Amino acid sequence: MLIQQNKSLKPYNTFGIDALARYFTEVDTVATMQQVITTQEFKQHAPLILGGGSNILLTKNFDGLVLKNNLKGIEVVKEDEQQVFVKAAAGEVWHELVMWCIQRQYAGLENLSLIPGCVGASPMQNIGAYGVEIKDTFYELEALEINTGKIKTFSKADCEFGYRESVFKRQLKNQFIILSVTFCLSKKPTFHIEYGAIKQELDNMKVSTLSIQAVSQAVINIRSSKLPNPKEIGNAGSFFKNPEVTASVYHELKTHYPQLVAYPLDNGNYKLAAGWLIEQAGLKGYRKQDAGVHTLQALVLVNYGNATGNDIYNLSTYVMDTVKQKFSVQLEREVNMV
Ligand code: FAD
Ligand code: EPU
């Protein structure tokens, strides 16, 4: 096991922030992972477990050990005529897993095509897009308990999934390293194309027979048209969550802003499109030095080159304050601050 010192994390986060890790190591076996957690470098400071670095903002140098999870492997662990259980190691690239499943006609992850990052982070915030979240196909995960070195299995109920939430972001924060995730996929697809833009894109593609390949391609086309590619411009996807408000707050806002974009929730509340709020607050395309609000998707903050984590953080505060002032709605950051 090689532990490096004062390593630049710039290539390891999609915002492209140039912060240093005091210690850094890459791990590709569970046995090494179990060794790493016993080292002084790991124990002296809360560690940072890293997948693709596509949902973090580094606001300063990191004073502890950064553990880049490179565990690999995808396998079918169980199947029958209807279902197949696919287990993927935490360091697998998420989109490659999705493609692996689509090639084999295993349905369920196609709407989640092209989400950056690794499998291990996917349950952290129950990744979601285009009407689907991983909780819909999640079966179980294995995780290494940092304090004991023991491997524990978590069922779907144990994970307490919510909108961009799980137990690993709350009560169990920094206590487990996710090693693998098992998904229960279907051999007979149920298509989720109710998210407006998908139907439209399938029409544009002139798809006559629906397939999981076609749905995946439609999602890829939509995402590529409006989300910035981190290889070209630093970002971590949606910087804020879409805020949930009560029906009375929603109706009040709707009276003043008839164009308000919102979705009713099962609990009677409404989810507001934060991108709409930010755009209407006049901030779409706003830029301060190298930190900016993306020109095509106002929910995404971007690094035009040399922004620091603090530049992005300060911009996010400015966005939150401006939206609060105009709409009396409090935005919440979705990206993990480090
Ligand atoms: P990282 O950024 O490396 O880590 C994220 C968090 O998880 C950190 O707190 C980290 O410590 C922790 N973590 C990572 N791996 C482990 C592990 N093995 N064990 C324990 N903790 C771990 N997200 C969506 O939900 N939907 C989208 O549509 C979407 N679109 C995006 C588009 C773009 C262009 C970008 C840049 C991001 C987008 N995201 C989206 C956010 C991001 O891709 C997801 O959150 C993704 O799951 C993060 O994976 P990662 O491996 O990069 O995580
Ligand atoms: N909108 C605007 N202006 C903007 C952006 C959006 O008016 O600049 C309005 C539009 O009316 C649009 C609506 O907001 O119809 C919703 O926009 P979009 O479909 O782009 O989705 P989103 O709500 O902005 C969420 C997720 C994304 C996910 C997409 C697709 C969150 C925080 N974000 O974005 O996830 O890919 O839906 O399902 O829930 C991520 O988490 O990083 C992420 C990109």
PDB file of all heavy atoms in Angstrom, residues 69 79 91 95 98 112 143 163 173 208 214 250-251 255 272 276 301:
ATOM      1  N   ASN A  69     -11.259   4.920  -4.068  1.00  0.00           N
ATOM      2  CA  ASN A  69     -11.768   3.558  -4.112  1.00  0.00           C
ATOM      3  C   ASN A  69     -11.735   3.020  -5.544  1.00  0.00           C
ATOM      4  O   ASN A  69     -12.484   3.478  -6.399  1.00  0.00           O
ATOM      5  CB  ASN A  69     -13.213   3.587  -3.581  1.00  0.00           C
ATOM      6  CG  ASN A  69     -13.797   2.213  -3.400  1.00  0.00           C
ATOM      7  OD1 ASN A  69     -13.489   1.301  -4.154  1.00  0.00           O
ATOM      8  ND2 ASN A  69     -14.637   2.060  -2.404  1.00  0.00           N
ATOM      9  N   GLU A  79     -30.213 -15.228 -10.605  1.00  0.00           N
ATOM     10  CA  GLU A  79     -31.193 -14.841 -11.633  1.00  0.00           C
ATOM     11  C   GLU A  79     -32.265 -15.900 -11.777  1.00  0.00           C
ATOM     12  O   GLU A  79     -32.084 -17.065 -11.421  1.00  0.00           O
ATOM     13  CB  GLU A  79     -30.518 -14.569 -12.984  1.00  0.00           C
ATOM     14  CG  GLU A  79     -29.895 -15.754 -13.671  1.00  0.00           C
ATOM     15  CD  GLU A  79     -29.175 -15.348 -14.962  1.00  0.00           C
ATOM     16  OE1 GLU A  79     -29.788 -14.662 -15.807  1.00  0.00           O
ATOM     17  OE2 GLU A  79     -28.001 -15.732 -15.112  1.00  0.00           O
ATOM     18  N   GLY A  91     -15.765   0.743  -7.037  1.00  0.00           N
ATOM     19  CA  GLY A  91     -14.920   1.579  -7.887  1.00  0.00           C
ATOM     20  C   GLY A  91     -15.265   1.497  -9.365  1.00  0.00           C
ATOM     21  O   GLY A  91     -14.614   2.124 -10.202  1.00  0.00           O
ATOM     22  N   HIS A  95     -21.520   4.828 -15.295  1.00  0.00           N
ATOM     23  CA  HIS A  95     -22.073   4.729 -16.650  1.00  0.00           C
ATOM     24  C   HIS A  95     -21.652   3.407 -17.316  1.00  0.00           C
ATOM     25  O   HIS A  95     -22.413   2.848 -18.112  1.00  0.00           O
ATOM     26  CB  HIS A  95     -21.626   5.931 -17.487  1.00  0.00           C
ATOM     27  CG  HIS A  95     -22.182   5.931 -18.871  1.00  0.00           C
ATOM     28  ND1 HIS A  95     -23.543   6.044 -19.135  1.00  0.00           N
ATOM     29  CD2 HIS A  95     -21.588   5.803 -20.094  1.00  0.00           C
ATOM     30  CE1 HIS A  95     -23.745   5.995 -20.441  1.00  0.00           C
ATOM     31  NE2 HIS A  95     -22.582   5.847 -21.045  1.00  0.00           N
ATOM     32  N   VAL A  98     -24.060   0.849 -16.208  1.00  0.00           N
ATOM     33  CA  VAL A  98     -25.338   1.003 -16.915  1.00  0.00           C
ATOM     34  C   VAL A  98     -25.231   0.379 -18.310  1.00  0.00           C
ATOM     35  O   VAL A  98     -26.099  -0.389 -18.739  1.00  0.00           O
ATOM     36  CB  VAL A  98     -25.733   2.506 -16.998  1.00  0.00           C
ATOM     37  CG1 VAL A  98     -26.992   2.686 -17.841  1.00  0.00           C
ATOM     38  CG2 VAL A  98     -25.937   3.090 -15.602  1.00  0.00           C
ATOM     39  N   LEU A 112     -30.715   6.262 -15.906  1.00  0.00           N
ATOM     40  CA  LEU A 112     -29.611   6.844 -15.122  1.00  0.00           C
ATOM     41  C   LEU A 112     -28.312   6.853 -15.928  1.00  0.00           C
ATOM     42  O   LEU A 112     -27.220   6.974 -15.356  1.00  0.00           O
ATOM     43  CB  LEU A 112     -29.447   6.061 -13.811  1.00  0.00           C
ATOM     44  CG  LEU A 112     -30.710   6.006 -12.942  1.00  0.00           C
ATOM     45  CD1 LEU A 112     -30.512   5.093 -11.741  1.00  0.00           C
ATOM     46  CD2 LEU A 112     -31.101   7.401 -12.465  1.00  0.00           C
ATOM     47  N   ALA A 143     -20.670  -2.863   3.068  1.00  0.00           N
ATOM     48  CA  ALA A 143     -19.836  -1.730   3.456  1.00  0.00           C
ATOM     49  C   ALA A 143     -18.915  -2.131   4.600  1.00  0.00           C
ATOM     50  O   ALA A 143     -19.261  -2.971   5.436  1.00  0.00           O
ATOM     51  CB  ALA A 143     -20.715  -0.554   3.875  1.00  0.00           C
ATOM     52  N   TYR A 163     -34.999  11.696  -1.260  1.00  0.00           N
ATOM     53  CA  TYR A 163     -34.569  12.499  -2.410  1.00  0.00           C
ATOM     54  C   TYR A 163     -33.149  13.004  -2.146  1.00  0.00           C
ATOM     55  O   TYR A 163     -32.925  13.797  -1.260  1.00  0.00           O
ATOM     56  CB  TYR A 163     -35.553  13.657  -2.612  1.00  0.00           C
ATOM     57  CG  TYR A 163     -35.066  14.755  -3.535  1.00  0.00           C
ATOM     58  CD1 TYR A 163     -34.685  14.487  -4.845  1.00  0.00           C
ATOM     59  CD2 TYR A 163     -35.006  16.063  -3.092  1.00  0.00           C
ATOM     60  CE1 TYR A 163     -34.244  15.496  -5.682  1.00  0.00           C
ATOM     61  CE2 TYR A 163     -34.570  17.088  -3.920  1.00  0.00           C
ATOM     62  CZ  TYR A 163     -34.185  16.788  -5.213  1.00  0.00           C
ATOM     63  OH  TYR A 163     -33.746  17.802  -6.031  1.00  0.00           O
ATOM     64  N   LYS A 173     -22.867   8.986   8.673  1.00  0.00           N
ATOM     65  CA  LYS A 173     -21.857   9.762   7.933  1.00  0.00           C
ATOM     66  C   LYS A 173     -20.445   9.418   8.419  1.00  0.00           C
ATOM     67  O   LYS A 173     -20.201   9.336   9.620  1.00  0.00           O
ATOM     68  CB  LYS A 173     -22.147  11.252   8.157  1.00  0.00           C
ATOM     69  CG  LYS A 173     -21.449  12.176   7.200  1.00  0.00           C
ATOM     70  CD  LYS A 173     -21.969  13.602   7.439  1.00  0.00           C
ATOM     71  CE  LYS A 173     -21.019  14.622   6.925  1.00  0.00           C
ATOM     72  NZ  LYS A 173     -21.037  14.997   5.606  1.00  0.00           N
ATOM     73  N   SER A 208     -39.418   3.775 -33.260  1.00  0.00           N
ATOM     74  CA  SER A 208     -40.754   3.192 -33.428  1.00  0.00           C
ATOM     75  C   SER A 208     -40.987   2.080 -32.402  1.00  0.00           C
ATOM     76  O   SER A 208     -42.080   1.935 -31.862  1.00  0.00           O
ATOM     77  CB  SER A 208     -40.939   2.659 -34.850  1.00  0.00           C
ATOM     78  OG  SER A 208     -39.829   1.870 -35.197  1.00  0.00           O
ATOM     79  N   ALA A 214     -32.871   2.546 -26.555  1.00  0.00           N
ATOM     80  CA  ALA A 214     -33.410   3.807 -27.067  1.00  0.00           C
ATOM     81  C   ALA A 214     -33.617   4.802 -25.917  1.00  0.00           C
ATOM     82  O   ALA A 214     -33.286   5.988 -26.042  1.00  0.00           O
ATOM     83  CB  ALA A 214     -34.720   3.560 -27.799  1.00  0.00           C
ATOM     84  N   TYR A 250     -46.671  27.052  -2.164  1.00  0.00           N
ATOM     85  CA  TYR A 250     -46.704  26.882  -3.624  1.00  0.00           C
ATOM     86  C   TYR A 250     -47.791  27.767  -4.250  1.00  0.00           C
ATOM     87  O   TYR A 250     -47.549  28.496  -5.212  1.00  0.00           O
ATOM     88  CB  TYR A 250     -46.951  25.401  -3.972  1.00  0.00           C
ATOM     89  CG  TYR A 250     -47.411  25.198  -5.387  1.00  0.00           C
ATOM     90  CD1 TYR A 250     -46.515  25.330  -6.449  1.00  0.00           C
ATOM     91  CD2 TYR A 250     -48.760  24.923  -5.675  1.00  0.00           C
ATOM     92  CE1 TYR A 250     -46.935  25.182  -7.762  1.00  0.00           C
ATOM     93  CE2 TYR A 250     -49.192  24.778  -6.982  1.00  0.00           C
ATOM     94  CZ  TYR A 250     -48.278  24.911  -8.022  1.00  0.00           C
ATOM     95  OH  TYR A 250     -48.702  24.779  -9.315  1.00  0.00           O
ATOM     96  N   HIS A 251     -49.020  27.726  -3.677  1.00  0.00           N
ATOM     97  CA  HIS A 251     -50.133  28.490  -4.273  1.00  0.00           C
ATOM     98  C   HIS A 251     -49.868  29.987  -4.203  1.00  0.00           C
ATOM     99  O   HIS A 251     -50.169  30.727  -5.136  1.00  0.00           O
ATOM    100  CB  HIS A 251     -51.455  28.117  -3.597  1.00  0.00           C
ATOM    101  CG  HIS A 251     -51.910  26.729  -3.978  1.00  0.00           C
ATOM    102  ND1 HIS A 251     -52.164  26.374  -5.282  1.00  0.00           N
ATOM    103  CD2 HIS A 251     -52.107  25.612  -3.241  1.00  0.00           C
ATOM    104  CE1 HIS A 251     -52.516  25.091  -5.336  1.00  0.00           C
ATOM    105  NE2 HIS A 251     -52.475  24.608  -4.093  1.00  0.00           N
ATOM    106  N   THR A 255     -49.470  32.397  -7.524  1.00  0.00           N
ATOM    107  CA  THR A 255     -50.290  33.590  -7.770  1.00  0.00           C
ATOM    108  C   THR A 255     -49.411  34.722  -8.299  1.00  0.00           C
ATOM    109  O   THR A 255     -49.784  35.435  -9.220  1.00  0.00           O
ATOM    110  CB  THR A 255     -50.958  34.050  -6.440  1.00  0.00           C
ATOM    111  OG1 THR A 255     -51.524  32.904  -5.836  1.00  0.00           O
ATOM    112  CG2 THR A 255     -52.021  35.091  -6.661  1.00  0.00           C
ATOM    113  N   LEU A 272     -40.168  22.498  -6.088  1.00  0.00           N
ATOM    114  CA  LEU A 272     -39.974  23.596  -7.028  1.00  0.00           C
ATOM    115  C   LEU A 272     -38.721  23.345  -7.853  1.00  0.00           C
ATOM    116  O   LEU A 272     -37.729  22.814  -7.348  1.00  0.00           O
ATOM    117  CB  LEU A 272     -39.797  24.921  -6.270  1.00  0.00           C
ATOM    118  CG  LEU A 272     -40.877  25.304  -5.253  1.00  0.00           C
ATOM    119  CD1 LEU A 272     -40.529  26.655  -4.617  1.00  0.00           C
ATOM    120  CD2 LEU A 272     -42.254  25.376  -5.921  1.00  0.00           C
ATOM    121  N   TRP A 276     -35.317  27.034 -12.283  1.00  0.00           N
ATOM    122  CA  TRP A 276     -36.239  28.102 -12.697  1.00  0.00           C
ATOM    123  C   TRP A 276     -36.101  29.297 -11.749  1.00  0.00           C
ATOM    124  O   TRP A 276     -36.030  30.442 -12.181  1.00  0.00           O
ATOM    125  CB  TRP A 276     -37.677  27.562 -12.710  1.00  0.00           C
ATOM    126  CG  TRP A 276     -38.667  28.553 -13.264  1.00  0.00           C
ATOM    127  CD1 TRP A 276     -39.040  28.678 -14.574  1.00  0.00           C
ATOM    128  CD2 TRP A 276     -39.386  29.551 -12.532  1.00  0.00           C
ATOM    129  NE1 TRP A 276     -39.937  29.703 -14.702  1.00  0.00           N
ATOM    130  CE2 TRP A 276     -40.179  30.260 -13.471  1.00  0.00           C
ATOM    131  CE3 TRP A 276     -39.447  29.927 -11.198  1.00  0.00           C
ATOM    132  CZ2 TRP A 276     -41.016  31.308 -13.102  1.00  0.00           C
ATOM    133  CZ3 TRP A 276     -40.275  30.985 -10.826  1.00  0.00           C
ATOM    134  CH2 TRP A 276     -41.056  31.667 -11.766  1.00  0.00           C
ATOM    135  N   LEU A 301     -23.431  25.055 -11.003  1.00  0.00           N
ATOM    136  CA  LEU A 301     -22.374  26.064 -10.877  1.00  0.00           C
ATOM    137  C   LEU A 301     -21.124  25.520 -11.563  1.00  0.00           C
ATOM    138  O   LEU A 301     -20.876  24.308 -11.534  1.00  0.00           O
ATOM    139  CB  LEU A 301     -22.080  26.369  -9.399  1.00  0.00           C
ATOM    140  CG  LEU A 301     -23.266  26.899  -8.576  1.00  0.00           C
ATOM    141  CD1 LEU A 301     -22.798  27.368  -7.193  1.00  0.00           C
ATOM    142  CD2 LEU A 301     -24.022  28.020  -9.291  1.00  0.00           C
TER     143      LEU A 301
END
